[in-house]
Amino acid sequence: MAEIINMPRLSDTMEEGTVATWLKKVGDKINEGDILAEIETDKATMEFESFHEGTLLYIGVKEGETTKVDELLAIIGEKGEDISGLLKGAPTAPKKEEKETVKEAKTEVATSTSEAKIPDGVTVVTMPRLSDTMEEGTVATWLKKIGDTVSEGDILAEIETDKATMEFESFQAGTLLYIGLKEGESAKVDSLLAIIGPKGTDVSGIASNFSSGSGSSTKEAEPKQETSKVEVAKEAPKVEAPKTVSTGSTNGRLFVSPLAKKIAEEKGINLSQVKGSGENGRIVKSDVENFVPAAPSGASVGKFVATGQEDFDEKPNSQMRKAIAKALTNSKFTAPHYYLNVEFDMENAMAFRAQYNSIPDTKISYNDIVVKACALALKQHPQVNSQWFPDKMRLNNHVHIGVAVAVEDGLVVPVVKFANEQSLPQIGAAVRDFAGRAKTKKLTQQEMEGSTFTVSNLGMFGIESFTSIINQPNSAILSVGNIVEKPVVKNGQIVVGNTMKLSLACDHRTVDGATGALFLQTLKGYIENPVTMLV
């Protein structure tokens, strides 16, 4: 019977996907495990793997086209099978009678399963929520296999979220009896991941009847119904398992061993430039270790356009750009922004930095000074260190400063936690580490969460002043420009001075104008006399 394949939700923020490449065409034979297509989400380009066998009968989304999650992507079935009925019915919701049938069947099976008891000593391990925004996870690697002995504290698997890959530790001891997700497969939070218990225990009934509950510890069973193929496909888009692939590939997919991929990430190597020596061109460990980057070519030359001729190129918006656009648009039009602009004298700060950097093995930047000064000032002005939520305002007693870092095709904000408690060299080391790992996508989810205030610095690009959009749910963000040498008036005399312009964007729901102004006065004292930060 023909199977309808819908566009899956491959990340917690994904609302639509773009087919980057079809690796199969209509009429091709499909085996279980074959890669059907590469799909671009707002976070990455993922391989879309088939868990059905048959013939590819229909492609609903062409290469380069975008469609919403759960919309028709493809149909797999027997060669020559009539799918006209599915094409008419797939994009629309199933009939009411079909929904009621499936609902009734679920209730019956859930009731019967709830009566069955889990054997003593058996623990059902579900997909963990590894961050506050995570809705689903992908098993990158299993570090244990069925039959292995598992001790408390052992690492069971590496789980990929939309932003990081994290180790998943076992809190139970026993034997790994069942694995619910293969490597590369994705599932929602609280879905069945594995079962641990005494060796030899029969857990087939638990696995076949399991379904994630709605937040309770008792799991209800969910049947695998054949009543409506369309309904089942929409309820469980995870049956098509994604695997992260390099976006640097040009023609076709990259075949990379997990170890080679890990080494490449650590060294910051673009795998699309590495020639594989393994089977079918697969990139292995030795290929990455022996890789020598090509010498950089000359400066790129723009496209030739004849004089007097209008010309343009169109570039489809990536999913990451769409996600950034959505978040910033939401912030700009829901948080009433206002801006406070100041200009600080940087003479003492420049002398302070020069003296500080004269200490052996010590190097701090002006940005480090700004981050430290903000952290100390925020402790004195908790209203600026607040966060807005629909039902409450949170005044934070801790200071976690987010530092905006530009990456290819986007922006990330790693967080320097408890910045007020850290020294200038510690802040500098943390920011440099974050910036380096951000460019190779090695930041963890925890390192990008929890900011209470944000600093964005474009001074290194020669920008004198600019304004930023608040990183919600924070209440403010500070925009930092470059240091400019200019004539200034001191003691009634015009002399050469060095100044820096800053702009504080505030959310008027939490920070009033006078509150923001007082914060900037305190900040001015620290930056213009940085030695006071050491007292």
Side-chain angles (χ1 to χ4, degrees):
M1 184 176 181
E3 294 279 352
I4 287 183
I5 311 301
N6 290 332
M7 176 65 72
R9 187 183 300 277
L10 303 178
S11 78
D12 56 348
T13 57
M14 177 179 172
E15 294 182 355
E16 61 183 11
T18 302
V19 176
T21 308
W22 277 104
L23 302 177
K24 297 290 184 180
K25 61 182 183 294
V26 174
D28 282 358
K29 177 69 176 177
I30 306 296
N31 294 315
E32 184 175 338
D34 284 356
I35 305 300
L36 291 177
E38 293 176 353
I39 295 178
E40 181 187 4
T41 72
D42 56 333
K43 298 291 192 292
T45 300
M46 321 281 278
E47 288 183 345
F48 196 47
E49 181 176 339
S50 174
F51 276 79
H52 303 287
E53 293 187 353
T55 300
L56 185 57
L57 303 175
Y58 179 80
I59 288 178
V61 183
K62 298 178 181 178
E63 290 185 359
E65 290 186 350
T66 301
T67 190
K68 298 289 185 183
V69 169
D70 289 339
E71 290 294 322
L72 176 64
L73 184 65
I75 298 177
I76 296 174
E78 297 297 327
K79 187 174 182 179
E81 184 175 350
D82 183 10
I83 57 172
S84 56
L86 293 177
L87 291 176
K88 292 178 181 178
T92 60
K95 295 180 181 178
K96 182 178 180 180
E97 294 80 5
E98 293 178 333
K99 287 185 176 180
E100 291 176 350
T101 301
V102 175
K103 184 177 181 180
E104 291 172 1
K106 287 181 180 178
T107 303
E108 292 173 3
V109 178
T111 302
S112 63
T113 306
S114 62
E115 297 174 356
K117 294 183 178 179
I118 296 178
D120 291 339
V122 172
T123 302
V124 175
V125 182
T126 58
M127 176 65 73
R129 186 181 299 277
L130 300 176
S131 75
D132 56 354
T133 59
M134 177 179 171
E135 293 183 0
E136 69 172 20
T138 301
V139 176
T141 308
W142 278 104
L143 302 178
K144 297 286 185 180
K145 61 181 183 294
I146 293 178
D148 283 358
T149 298
V150 178
S151 300
E152 186 175 339
D154 284 356
I155 305 301
L156 286 179
E158 294 179 346
I159 307 291
E160 291 183 7
T161 69
D162 59 329
K163 294 181 179 178
T165 300
M166 305 181 187
E167 293 181 338
F168 179 47
E169 179 178 329
S170 175
F171 294 95
Q172 295 83 27
T175 300
L176 184 56
L177 303 173
Y178 179 83
I179 289 178
L181 293 174
K182 299 177 182 178
E183 291 186 358
E185 287 188 356
S186 293
K188 298 293 184 183
V189 169
D190 291 335
S191 295
L192 177 61
L193 184 63
I195 300 177
I196 296 174
K199 186 175 182 179
T201 305
D202 182 10
V203 294
S204 57
I206 301 173
S208 60
N209 293 323
F210 178 88
S211 87
S212 58
S214 57
S216 64
S217 58
T218 302
K219 304 300 179 181
E220 297 179 349
E222 179 174 346
K224 297 183 179 179
Q225 289 293 328
E226 297 295 334
T227 306
S228 169
K229 291 291 182 182
V230 179
E231 182 74 16
V232 173
K234 288 192 176 183
E235 287 183 358
K238 70 180 187 322
V239 294
E240 302 300 332
K243 286 190 266 188
T244 305
V245 296
S246 169
T247 56
S249 61
T250 54
N251 298 320
R253 56 189 283 246
L254 285 175
F255 295 88
V256 190
S257 72
L259 181 57
K261 182 179 179 182
K262 182 178 181 180
I263 295 173
E265 289 176 348
E266 292 174 351
K267 294 186 175 183
I269 295 175
N270 185 346
L271 286 171
S272 65
Q273 300 175 0
V274 180
K275 184 177 180 180
S277 61
E279 185 178 359
N280 296 321
R282 183 181 178 87
I283 298 173
V284 296
K285 175 185 175 183
S286 59
D287 298 325
V288 177
E289 291 179 336
N290 298 326
F291 173 71
V292 178
S297 57
S300 59
V301 180
K303 177 182 176 182
F304 172 77
V305 178
T307 303
Q309 176 180 319
E310 293 183 349
D311 186 81
F312 62 87
D313 295 316
E314 290 186 347
K315 179 182 178 181
N317 292 325
S318 68
Q319 297 303 315
M320 178 177 285
R321 296 309 312 174
K322 291 178 182 179
I324 292 173
K326 181 179 179 181
L328 295 186
T329 299
N330 179 65
S331 176
K332 185 67 175 177
F333 291 103
T334 59
H337 286 54
Y338 70 91
Y339 302 93
L340 301 175
N341 302 309
V342 291
E343 187 171 8
F344 292 167
D345 184 349
M346 295 298 290
E347 292 294 331
N348 289 339
M350 294 173 69
F352 173 83
R353 177 174 178 263
Q355 289 180 334
Y356 209 109
N357 285 344
S358 66
I359 302 173
D361 301 321
T362 302
K363 183 175 178 61
I364 62 171
S365 67
Y366 292 113
N367 193 66
D368 302 333
I369 295 174
V370 171
V371 170
K372 177 70 172 181
C374 285
L376 296 176
L378 288 168
K379 287 294 291 183
Q380 299 181 42
H381 302 275
Q383 195 74 25
V384 183
N385 196 42
S386 64
Q387 294 171 307
W388 173 266
F389 297 94
D391 59 340
K392 61 181 179 292
M393 183 192 306
R394 177 181 296 167
L395 300 178
N396 296 293
N397 297 316
H398 60 276
V399 179
H400 293 346
I401 304 250
V403 180
V405 176
V407 296
E408 185 178 357
D409 200 32
L411 182 76
V412 295
V413 185
V415 181
V416 180
K417 296 187 176 180
F418 305 105
N420 59 303
E421 301 173 10
Q422 298 194 41
S423 67
L424 285 166
Q426 287 175 325
I427 291 174
V431 172
R432 287 192 297 274
D433 175 56
F434 286 151
R437 289 191 290 122
K439 297 183 187 306
T440 57
K441 299 182 179 180
K442 292 181 64 180
L443 290 174
T444 66
Q445 182 79 18
Q446 289 87 347
E447 290 171 330
M448 294 184 283
E449 293 177 343
S451 67
T452 61
F453 184 86
T454 307
V455 173
S456 179
N457 191 338
L458 293 179
M460 66 286 292
F461 298 107
I463 301 301
E464 186 173 340
S465 65
F466 67 103
T467 57
S468 302
I469 298 175
I470 297 170
N471 181 29
Q472 289 189 325
N474 295 174
S475 293
I477 182 171
L478 184 70
S479 306
V480 183
N482 67 335
I483 297 175
V484 177
E485 187 178 53
K486 59 188 291 187
V488 297
V489 178
K490 289 186 177 181
N491 301 321
Q493 300 292 321
I494 298 177
V495 297
V496 176
N498 290 276
T499 65
M500 181 175 70
K501 293 182 179 179
L502 304 94
S503 177
L504 181 69
C506 301
D507 184 341
H508 220 317
R509 296 174 297 184
T510 51
V511 182
D512 294 325
T515 304
L518 289 172
F519 166 78
L520 288 174
Q521 283 185 353
T522 302
L523 185 66
K524 176 185 176 74
Y526 283 127
I527 292 181
E528 292 193 346
N529 297 284
V531 70
T532 58
M533 294 191 293
L534 305 180
V535 177

PDB file of all heavy atoms in Angstrom, residues 153-181:
ATOM      1  N   GLY A 153      25.747   6.515  35.262  1.00  0.00           N
ATOM      2  CA  GLY A 153      26.765   7.490  34.869  1.00  0.00           C
ATOM      3  C   GLY A 153      27.383   7.219  33.515  1.00  0.00           C
ATOM      4  O   GLY A 153      28.088   8.072  32.969  1.00  0.00           O
ATOM      5  N   ASP A 154      27.113   6.023  32.937  1.00  0.00           N
ATOM      6  CA  ASP A 154      27.633   5.724  31.597  1.00  0.00           C
ATOM      7  C   ASP A 154      26.955   6.619  30.558  1.00  0.00           C
ATOM      8  O   ASP A 154      25.781   6.965  30.689  1.00  0.00           O
ATOM      9  CB  ASP A 154      27.379   4.260  31.230  1.00  0.00           C
ATOM     10  CG  ASP A 154      28.337   3.305  31.931  1.00  0.00           C
ATOM     11  OD1 ASP A 154      29.231   3.806  32.634  1.00  0.00           O
ATOM     12  OD2 ASP A 154      28.171   2.079  31.787  1.00  0.00           O
ATOM     13  N   ILE A 155      27.679   6.962  29.512  1.00  0.00           N
ATOM     14  CA  ILE A 155      27.108   7.729  28.416  1.00  0.00           C
ATOM     15  C   ILE A 155      26.418   6.755  27.460  1.00  0.00           C
ATOM     16  O   ILE A 155      27.061   5.878  26.882  1.00  0.00           O
ATOM     17  CB  ILE A 155      28.184   8.542  27.664  1.00  0.00           C
ATOM     18  CG1 ILE A 155      28.950   9.444  28.650  1.00  0.00           C
ATOM     19  CG2 ILE A 155      27.540   9.379  26.569  1.00  0.00           C
ATOM     20  CD1 ILE A 155      28.085  10.431  29.391  1.00  0.00           C
ATOM     21  N   LEU A 156      25.109   6.886  27.327  1.00  0.00           N
ATOM     22  CA  LEU A 156      24.353   5.998  26.445  1.00  0.00           C
ATOM     23  C   LEU A 156      24.486   6.402  24.985  1.00  0.00           C
ATOM     24  O   LEU A 156      24.696   5.567  24.104  1.00  0.00           O
ATOM     25  CB  LEU A 156      22.865   6.023  26.814  1.00  0.00           C
ATOM     26  CG  LEU A 156      22.429   5.294  28.079  1.00  0.00           C
ATOM     27  CD1 LEU A 156      20.929   5.472  28.267  1.00  0.00           C
ATOM     28  CD2 LEU A 156      22.776   3.815  27.973  1.00  0.00           C
ATOM     29  N   ALA A 157      24.337   7.699  24.718  1.00  0.00           N
ATOM     30  CA  ALA A 157      24.288   8.159  23.326  1.00  0.00           C
ATOM     31  C   ALA A 157      24.640   9.635  23.257  1.00  0.00           C
ATOM     32  O   ALA A 157      24.682  10.336  24.273  1.00  0.00           O
ATOM     33  CB  ALA A 157      22.897   7.927  22.738  1.00  0.00           C
ATOM     34  N   GLU A 158      24.900  10.087  22.032  1.00  0.00           N
ATOM     35  CA  GLU A 158      25.050  11.517  21.763  1.00  0.00           C
ATOM     36  C   GLU A 158      23.792  11.972  21.045  1.00  0.00           C
ATOM     37  O   GLU A 158      23.396  11.389  20.028  1.00  0.00           O
ATOM     38  CB  GLU A 158      26.282  11.776  20.904  1.00  0.00           C
ATOM     39  CG  GLU A 158      27.592  11.453  21.623  1.00  0.00           C
ATOM     40  CD  GLU A 158      28.809  11.698  20.755  1.00  0.00           C
ATOM     41  OE1 GLU A 158      28.622  11.853  19.530  1.00  0.00           O
ATOM     42  OE2 GLU A 158      29.929  11.730  21.281  1.00  0.00           O
ATOM     43  N   ILE A 159      23.136  12.998  21.605  1.00  0.00           N
ATOM     44  CA  ILE A 159      21.856  13.483  21.082  1.00  0.00           C
ATOM     45  C   ILE A 159      22.052  14.857  20.456  1.00  0.00           C
ATOM     46  O   ILE A 159      22.613  15.760  21.078  1.00  0.00           O
ATOM     47  CB  ILE A 159      20.802  13.584  22.200  1.00  0.00           C
ATOM     48  CG1 ILE A 159      20.680  12.253  22.958  1.00  0.00           C
ATOM     49  CG2 ILE A 159      19.459  14.014  21.622  1.00  0.00           C
ATOM     50  CD1 ILE A 159      20.084  11.138  22.177  1.00  0.00           C
ATOM     51  N   GLU A 160      21.579  15.015  19.227  1.00  0.00           N
ATOM     52  CA  GLU A 160      21.654  16.309  18.546  1.00  0.00           C
ATOM     53  C   GLU A 160      20.374  17.087  18.765  1.00  0.00           C
ATOM     54  O   GLU A 160      19.281  16.565  18.561  1.00  0.00           O
ATOM     55  CB  GLU A 160      21.864  16.113  17.039  1.00  0.00           C
ATOM     56  CG  GLU A 160      23.224  15.571  16.659  1.00  0.00           C
ATOM     57  CD  GLU A 160      23.389  15.477  15.153  1.00  0.00           C
ATOM     58  OE1 GLU A 160      22.490  15.961  14.442  1.00  0.00           O
ATOM     59  OE2 GLU A 160      24.396  14.924  14.693  1.00  0.00           O
ATOM     60  N   THR A 161      20.520  18.344  19.181  1.00  0.00           N
ATOM     61  CA  THR A 161      19.404  19.274  19.187  1.00  0.00           C
ATOM     62  C   THR A 161      19.590  20.194  17.993  1.00  0.00           C
ATOM     63  O   THR A 161      20.452  19.951  17.155  1.00  0.00           O
ATOM     64  CB  THR A 161      19.365  20.083  20.500  1.00  0.00           C
ATOM     65  OG1 THR A 161      20.492  20.975  20.524  1.00  0.00           O
ATOM     66  CG2 THR A 161      19.419  19.153  21.709  1.00  0.00           C
ATOM     67  N   ASP A 162      18.816  21.259  17.931  1.00  0.00           N
ATOM     68  CA  ASP A 162      18.946  22.162  16.784  1.00  0.00           C
ATOM     69  C   ASP A 162      20.208  22.994  16.840  1.00  0.00           C
ATOM     70  O   ASP A 162      20.603  23.588  15.838  1.00  0.00           O
ATOM     71  CB  ASP A 162      17.726  23.095  16.680  1.00  0.00           C
ATOM     72  CG  ASP A 162      17.555  23.938  17.931  1.00  0.00           C
ATOM     73  OD1 ASP A 162      17.919  23.452  19.018  1.00  0.00           O
ATOM     74  OD2 ASP A 162      17.046  25.060  17.823  1.00  0.00           O
ATOM     75  N   LYS A 163      20.897  23.042  18.008  1.00  0.00           N
ATOM     76  CA  LYS A 163      22.069  23.900  18.122  1.00  0.00           C
ATOM     77  C   LYS A 163      23.327  23.197  18.591  1.00  0.00           C
ATOM     78  O   LYS A 163      24.411  23.743  18.473  1.00  0.00           O
ATOM     79  CB  LYS A 163      21.764  25.053  19.088  1.00  0.00           C
ATOM     80  CG  LYS A 163      20.697  26.002  18.556  1.00  0.00           C
ATOM     81  CD  LYS A 163      20.453  27.139  19.518  1.00  0.00           C
ATOM     82  CE  LYS A 163      19.400  28.092  18.970  1.00  0.00           C
ATOM     83  NZ  LYS A 163      19.090  29.188  19.904  1.00  0.00           N
ATOM     84  N   ALA A 164      23.192  22.008  19.145  1.00  0.00           N
ATOM     85  CA  ALA A 164      24.380  21.361  19.699  1.00  0.00           C
ATOM     86  C   ALA A 164      24.174  19.861  19.789  1.00  0.00           C
ATOM     87  O   ALA A 164      23.056  19.357  19.691  1.00  0.00           O
ATOM     88  CB  ALA A 164      24.700  21.930  21.083  1.00  0.00           C
ATOM     89  N   THR A 165      25.297  19.135  19.955  1.00  0.00           N
ATOM     90  CA  THR A 165      25.272  17.692  20.193  1.00  0.00           C
ATOM     91  C   THR A 165      25.721  17.457  21.627  1.00  0.00           C
ATOM     92  O   THR A 165      26.785  17.918  22.031  1.00  0.00           O
ATOM     93  CB  THR A 165      26.200  16.962  19.215  1.00  0.00           C
ATOM     94  OG1 THR A 165      25.762  17.219  17.881  1.00  0.00           O
ATOM     95  CG2 THR A 165      26.165  15.460  19.463  1.00  0.00           C
ATOM     96  N   MET A 166      24.907  16.750  22.389  1.00  0.00           N
ATOM     97  CA  MET A 166      25.170  16.584  23.809  1.00  0.00           C
ATOM     98  C   MET A 166      25.218  15.109  24.192  1.00  0.00           C
ATOM     99  O   MET A 166      24.505  14.284  23.625  1.00  0.00           O
ATOM    100  CB  MET A 166      24.081  17.272  24.635  1.00  0.00           C
ATOM    101  CG  MET A 166      23.890  18.737  24.291  1.00  0.00           C
ATOM    102  SD  MET A 166      22.629  19.506  25.311  1.00  0.00           S
ATOM    103  CE  MET A 166      22.531  21.112  24.488  1.00  0.00           C
ATOM    104  N   GLU A 167      26.050  14.800  25.172  1.00  0.00           N
ATOM    105  CA  GLU A 167      26.117  13.444  25.690  1.00  0.00           C
ATOM    106  C   GLU A 167      24.928  13.196  26.619  1.00  0.00           C
ATOM    107  O   GLU A 167      24.549  14.061  27.399  1.00  0.00           O
ATOM    108  CB  GLU A 167      27.419  13.230  26.457  1.00  0.00           C
ATOM    109  CG  GLU A 167      28.660  13.265  25.562  1.00  0.00           C
ATOM    110  CD  GLU A 167      29.938  13.030  26.338  1.00  0.00           C
ATOM    111  OE1 GLU A 167      29.923  13.252  27.577  1.00  0.00           O
ATOM    112  OE2 GLU A 167      30.947  12.618  25.738  1.00  0.00           O
ATOM    113  N   PHE A 168      24.339  11.990  26.514  1.00  0.00           N
ATOM    114  CA  PHE A 168      23.200  11.630  27.342  1.00  0.00           C
ATOM    115  C   PHE A 168      23.628  10.541  28.307  1.00  0.00           C
ATOM    116  O   PHE A 168      23.988   9.440  27.907  1.00  0.00           O
ATOM    117  CB  PHE A 168      22.036  11.165  26.469  1.00  0.00           C
ATOM    118  CG  PHE A 168      20.827  10.760  27.246  1.00  0.00           C
ATOM    119  CD1 PHE A 168      20.337  11.546  28.263  1.00  0.00           C
ATOM    120  CD2 PHE A 168      20.173   9.568  26.965  1.00  0.00           C
ATOM    121  CE1 PHE A 168      19.216  11.176  28.991  1.00  0.00           C
ATOM    122  CE2 PHE A 168      19.045   9.183  27.677  1.00  0.00           C
ATOM    123  CZ  PHE A 168      18.572   9.985  28.694  1.00  0.00           C
ATOM    124  N   GLU A 169      23.581  10.869  29.578  1.00  0.00           N
ATOM    125  CA  GLU A 169      24.084   9.985  30.617  1.00  0.00           C
ATOM    126  C   GLU A 169      22.968   9.134  31.210  1.00  0.00           C
ATOM    127  O   GLU A 169      21.836   9.591  31.385  1.00  0.00           O
ATOM    128  CB  GLU A 169      24.720  10.854  31.714  1.00  0.00           C
ATOM    129  CG  GLU A 169      25.279  10.095  32.891  1.00  0.00           C
ATOM    130  CD  GLU A 169      25.919  11.031  33.894  1.00  0.00           C
ATOM    131  OE1 GLU A 169      26.445  12.084  33.473  1.00  0.00           O
ATOM    132  OE2 GLU A 169      25.893  10.729  35.093  1.00  0.00           O
ATOM    133  N   SER A 170      23.277   7.872  31.504  1.00  0.00           N
ATOM    134  CA  SER A 170      22.295   6.975  32.107  1.00  0.00           C
ATOM    135  C   SER A 170      22.251   7.172  33.612  1.00  0.00           C
ATOM    136  O   SER A 170      23.288   7.285  34.264  1.00  0.00           O
ATOM    137  CB  SER A 170      22.637   5.513  31.801  1.00  0.00           C
ATOM    138  OG  SER A 170      21.754   4.645  32.491  1.00  0.00           O
ATOM    139  N   PHE A 171      21.035   7.210  34.141  1.00  0.00           N
ATOM    140  CA  PHE A 171      20.857   7.308  35.580  1.00  0.00           C
ATOM    141  C   PHE A 171      20.400   5.975  36.166  1.00  0.00           C
ATOM    142  O   PHE A 171      20.014   5.893  37.324  1.00  0.00           O
ATOM    143  CB  PHE A 171      19.834   8.407  35.914  1.00  0.00           C
ATOM    144  CG  PHE A 171      20.324   9.778  35.558  1.00  0.00           C
ATOM    145  CD1 PHE A 171      19.990  10.364  34.347  1.00  0.00           C
ATOM    146  CD2 PHE A 171      21.147  10.488  36.422  1.00  0.00           C
ATOM    147  CE1 PHE A 171      20.448  11.631  34.016  1.00  0.00           C
ATOM    148  CE2 PHE A 171      21.610  11.751  36.101  1.00  0.00           C
ATOM    149  CZ  PHE A 171      21.261  12.324  34.888  1.00  0.00           C
ATOM    150  N   GLN A 172      20.416   4.928  35.330  1.00  0.00           N
ATOM    151  CA  GLN A 172      20.022   3.595  35.774  1.00  0.00           C
ATOM    152  C   GLN A 172      21.140   2.608  35.462  1.00  0.00           C
ATOM    153  O   GLN A 172      21.977   2.855  34.595  1.00  0.00           O
ATOM    154  CB  GLN A 172      18.726   3.129  35.077  1.00  0.00           C
ATOM    155  CG  GLN A 172      17.492   3.943  35.418  1.00  0.00           C
ATOM    156  CD  GLN A 172      17.366   5.198  34.592  1.00  0.00           C
ATOM    157  OE1 GLN A 172      17.864   5.246  33.475  1.00  0.00           O
ATOM    158  NE2 GLN A 172      16.699   6.201  35.134  1.00  0.00           N
ATOM    159  N   ALA A 173      21.120   1.501  36.164  1.00  0.00           N
ATOM    160  CA  ALA A 173      22.069   0.422  35.909  1.00  0.00           C
ATOM    161  C   ALA A 173      21.304  -0.812  35.462  1.00  0.00           C
ATOM    162  O   ALA A 173      20.165  -1.037  35.858  1.00  0.00           O
ATOM    163  CB  ALA A 173      22.878   0.116  37.164  1.00  0.00           C
ATOM    164  N   GLY A 174      21.914  -1.613  34.601  1.00  0.00           N
ATOM    165  CA  GLY A 174      21.269  -2.823  34.103  1.00  0.00           C
ATOM    166  C   GLY A 174      21.839  -3.206  32.755  1.00  0.00           C
ATOM    167  O   GLY A 174      22.990  -2.884  32.436  1.00  0.00           O
ATOM    168  N   THR A 175      21.016  -3.875  31.968  1.00  0.00           N
ATOM    169  CA  THR A 175      21.402  -4.274  30.616  1.00  0.00           C
ATOM    170  C   THR A 175      20.568  -3.499  29.611  1.00  0.00           C
ATOM    171  O   THR A 175      19.364  -3.315  29.814  1.00  0.00           O
ATOM    172  CB  THR A 175      21.185  -5.785  30.416  1.00  0.00           C
ATOM    173  OG1 THR A 175      21.982  -6.504  31.355  1.00  0.00           O
ATOM    174  CG2 THR A 175      21.567  -6.210  29.004  1.00  0.00           C
ATOM    175  N   LEU A 176      21.190  -3.023  28.527  1.00  0.00           N
ATOM    176  CA  LEU A 176      20.444  -2.328  27.482  1.00  0.00           C
ATOM    177  C   LEU A 176      19.642  -3.368  26.707  1.00  0.00           C
ATOM    178  O   LEU A 176      20.207  -4.173  25.957  1.00  0.00           O
ATOM    179  CB  LEU A 176      21.399  -1.566  26.560  1.00  0.00           C
ATOM    180  CG  LEU A 176      20.743  -0.701  25.473  1.00  0.00           C
ATOM    181  CD1 LEU A 176      19.778   0.306  26.088  1.00  0.00           C
ATOM    182  CD2 LEU A 176      21.801   0.023  24.646  1.00  0.00           C
ATOM    183  N   LEU A 177      18.325  -3.361  26.897  1.00  0.00           N
ATOM    184  CA  LEU A 177      17.458  -4.394  26.332  1.00  0.00           C
ATOM    185  C   LEU A 177      16.845  -3.997  24.997  1.00  0.00           C
ATOM    186  O   LEU A 177      16.501  -4.855  24.186  1.00  0.00           O
ATOM    187  CB  LEU A 177      16.319  -4.718  27.319  1.00  0.00           C
ATOM    188  CG  LEU A 177      16.747  -5.161  28.724  1.00  0.00           C
ATOM    189  CD1 LEU A 177      15.526  -5.275  29.617  1.00  0.00           C
ATOM    190  CD2 LEU A 177      17.500  -6.485  28.655  1.00  0.00           C
ATOM    191  N   TYR A 178      16.700  -2.698  24.779  1.00  0.00           N
ATOM    192  CA  TYR A 178      15.975  -2.255  23.583  1.00  0.00           C
ATOM    193  C   TYR A 178      16.433  -0.854  23.205  1.00  0.00           C
ATOM    194  O   TYR A 178      16.677  -0.004  24.066  1.00  0.00           O
ATOM    195  CB  TYR A 178      14.469  -2.256  23.857  1.00  0.00           C
ATOM    196  CG  TYR A 178      13.623  -1.784  22.702  1.00  0.00           C
ATOM    197  CD1 TYR A 178      13.266  -2.643  21.663  1.00  0.00           C
ATOM    198  CD2 TYR A 178      13.172  -0.466  22.639  1.00  0.00           C
ATOM    199  CE1 TYR A 178      12.485  -2.200  20.608  1.00  0.00           C
ATOM    200  CE2 TYR A 178      12.391  -0.013  21.586  1.00  0.00           C
ATOM    201  CZ  TYR A 178      12.046  -0.886  20.580  1.00  0.00           C
ATOM    202  OH  TYR A 178      11.273  -0.445  19.519  1.00  0.00           O
ATOM    203  N   ILE A 179      16.585  -0.631  21.904  1.00  0.00           N
ATOM    204  CA  ILE A 179      16.886   0.701  21.365  1.00  0.00           C
ATOM    205  C   ILE A 179      15.739   1.118  20.458  1.00  0.00           C
ATOM    206  O   ILE A 179      15.412   0.422  19.492  1.00  0.00           O
ATOM    207  CB  ILE A 179      18.222   0.700  20.591  1.00  0.00           C
ATOM    208  CG1 ILE A 179      19.400   0.570  21.574  1.00  0.00           C
ATOM    209  CG2 ILE A 179      18.372   1.963  19.753  1.00  0.00           C
ATOM    210  CD1 ILE A 179      20.761   0.511  20.912  1.00  0.00           C
ATOM    211  N   GLY A 180      15.120   2.241  20.786  1.00  0.00           N
ATOM    212  CA  GLY A 180      13.936   2.672  20.038  1.00  0.00           C
ATOM    213  C   GLY A 180      14.222   3.533  18.838  1.00  0.00           C
ATOM    214  O   GLY A 180      13.367   3.702  17.969  1.00  0.00           O
ATOM    215  N   LEU A 181      15.407   4.120  18.765  1.00  0.00           N
ATOM    216  CA  LEU A 181      15.767   4.989  17.644  1.00  0.00           C
ATOM    217  C   LEU A 181      17.134   4.593  17.122  1.00  0.00           C
ATOM    218  O   LEU A 181      18.082   4.455  17.899  1.00  0.00           O
ATOM    219  CB  LEU A 181      15.803   6.465  18.073  1.00  0.00           C
ATOM    220  CG  LEU A 181      14.485   7.128  18.457  1.00  0.00           C
ATOM    221  CD1 LEU A 181      14.758   8.524  18.979  1.00  0.00           C
ATOM    222  CD2 LEU A 181      13.551   7.195  17.257  1.00  0.00           C
TER     223      LEU A 181
END
